Amino acid sequence: MTAIADIGPVGIIGGTGLTSLSDLHIVGEEQVDTAWGAPSSSLVRGRLGQQAVIFLARHGNPHRIPPHEVNYRANLQALFNAGVRTVVGVNAVGGIHQKMGPAHVVIPDQLIDYTWGRASTFFEGELEQVTHIDFTWPYDQSARELLIRVATEAGVPFSDFGVYGATQGPRLETAAEIRRMERDGCDIVGMTGMPEAVLAAELGMRYVSLGLVVNWAAGKSDHIITMAEIEEAIEQGMSGVRLILERSMAGLGQLSRQSA
């Protein structure tokens, strides 16, 4: 399960605000199934520049699957079966760190998992042996360095660090919960970072998160969080996310080849 075999396309898992890519030259779309069930959406095959890409809408297209009901195992398995060995997870997040406000891009380096009850491993059931993977560094460092370099060269305002706190959802957090998360060291908060990252690790895939802050976390502003605020931040910041994706695809594909 963990061996990286033939080299295929780079995978992009799109979240809130990124259900499609306008610059993706689509060459095919297929409905697939896995041993874990059906993924959230069809696999859209295409090219960004010269790099083959497979895009998967995490919440479905149209956006209809809440974070706690996403079939993360099916999503990752479907991409793996399609030949993907490097994945970029695009995440809409709330800002906790004072420098991570709406429309800001974050390339996190760590995470804390506050979710519960989600199917979070491939290693269960009638196993031949118990398997424990190392998860010290949840995001692939080479892929992070590439995204950081591309974001810097593109002039996109971003942070090259961040602890992602993954919460259960679908409700947003209380102000007290955010204060606790800040004490724990979290810089951003989202609902889809786990178990996506660990499942990719179990499959031996490179995984990196590209976060867009779409609102201040609860208690971090003087008003309640509204969908209008979130939609405005997505409109302002998603162009930077798309630019980073477009300019990093060739390099991410090269990382996959180096891993073969």
Side-chain angles (χ1 to χ4, degrees):
M1 179 178 290
T2 58
I4 294 180
D6 56 321
I7 300 304
V10 173
I12 300 173
I13 302 178
T16 301
L18 187 70
T19 55
S20 62
L21 285 170
S22 58
D23 293 321
L24 179 66
H25 175 64
I26 297 176
V27 298
E29 185 171 351
E30 58 182 318
Q31 298 283 347
V32 300
D33 202 1
T34 76
W36 310 100
S40 298
S41 70
S42 60
L43 301 185
V44 179
R45 294 180 178 270
R47 304 190 74 84
L48 276 175
Q50 297 302 309
Q51 176 60 45
V53 171
I54 292 182
F55 179 83
L56 188 153
R58 184 187 290 113
H59 299 283
N61 191 10
H63 189 288
R64 60 183 175 80
I65 306 172
H68 67 296
E69 291 186 343
V70 171
N71 191 338
Y72 295 94
R73 289 193 294 192
N75 286 353
L76 271 298
Q77 189 70 63
L79 291 172
F80 185 88
N81 293 348
V84 170
R85 298 298 180 267
T86 299
V87 179
V88 182
V90 180
N91 303 99
V93 298
I96 299 175
H97 192 286
Q98 62 180 356
K99 294 183 179 179
M100 299 178 185
H104 191 70
V105 173
V106 182
I107 303 171
D109 60 333
Q110 274 295 339
L111 64 79
I112 300 175
D113 187 9
Y114 299 95
T115 66
W116 50 269
R118 301 183 181 189
S120 59
T121 181
F122 293 110
F123 299 120
E124 63 182 15
E126 298 181 4
L127 301 175
E128 294 182 1
Q129 64 181 28
V130 176
T131 301
H132 303 284
I133 65 161
D134 179 82
F135 202 50
T136 304
W137 305 104
Y139 304 112
D140 183 80
Q141 184 58 26
S142 295
R144 287 191 67 255
E145 291 174 356
L146 175 63
L147 294 186
I148 289 167
R149 184 174 73 251
V150 168
T152 301
E153 293 173 350
V156 175
F158 79 104
S159 293
D160 61 0
F161 70 95
V163 177
Y164 182 126
T167 59
Q168 180 70 0
R171 68 167 177 85
L172 297 174
E173 300 72 33
T174 68
E177 287 170 332
I178 293 299
R179 289 196 297 269
R180 180 190 67 165
M181 294 177 70
E182 188 169 23
R183 291 193 298 271
D184 287 348
C186 295
D187 299 302
I188 53 177
V189 56
M191 301 175 189
T192 56
M194 283 291 283
E196 196 169 275
V198 72
L199 292 171
E202 288 187 350
L203 289 170
M205 304 166 84
R206 292 182 183 269
Y207 181 88
V208 64
S209 171
L210 185 58
L212 175 63
V213 180
V214 298
N215 59 271
W216 283 113
K220 288 296 177 179
S221 66
D222 59 2
H223 60 273
I224 64 171
I225 300 166
T226 66
M227 284 306 302
E229 173 189 5
I230 291 173
E231 290 167 359
E232 182 180 357
I234 290 174
E235 184 176 348
Q236 291 177 357
M238 195 55 71
S239 59
V241 170
R242 290 192 174 96
L243 184 60
I244 294 170
L245 287 173
E246 293 163 7
R247 297 189 180 183
S248 64
M249 282 301 109
L252 291 172
Q254 182 62 35
L255 285 179
S256 291
R257 288 186 285 275
Q258 291 173 0
S259 299

